[in-house]
């Protein structure tokens, strides 16, 4: 399957608890951390929810 490279570019400070939980669910917890995840509809939905704090590459 295809993978997506996601980098956290925004801070979770002063964000809602569900946005913080979404970042943790994506495997992100620190600024400029990068993870590679499989491209699934579930992951795409999580990315969409916190897109303002992420940088996404294919």
């Amino acid at each position: 399957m295809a993978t997506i490279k996601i980098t956290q570019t925004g801070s979770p400070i002063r964000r809602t608890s569900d946005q913080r939980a979404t970042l943790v669910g994506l495997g992100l917890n620190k600024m400029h951390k990068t993870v590679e995840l499989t491209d699934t509809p579930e992951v795409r939905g999580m990315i969409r929810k916190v897109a303002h704090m992420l940088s996404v590459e294919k």
Side-chain angles (χ1 to χ4, degrees), residues 33-53:
K33 183 173 180 183
T34 302
V35 295
E36 282 195 33
L37 300 172
T38 57
D39 189 6
T40 63
E42 293 82 6
V43 170
R44 288 282 183 160
M46 293 171 77
I47 292 170
R48 197 172 306 117
K49 185 168 188 166
V50 291
H52 56 283
M53 292 189 279

Side-chain angles (χ1 to χ4, degrees), residues 21-33:
T22 302
L23 286 175
V24 171
L26 288 169
L28 301 168
N29 58 355
K30 294 185 179 183
M31 292 285 292
H32 309 292
K33 183 173 180 183

Side-chain angles (χ1 to χ4, degrees), residues 15-26:
R15 305 290 179 182
T16 60
S17 60
D18 60 327
Q19 289 180 350
R20 289 180 190 204
T22 302
L23 286 175
V24 171
L26 288 169

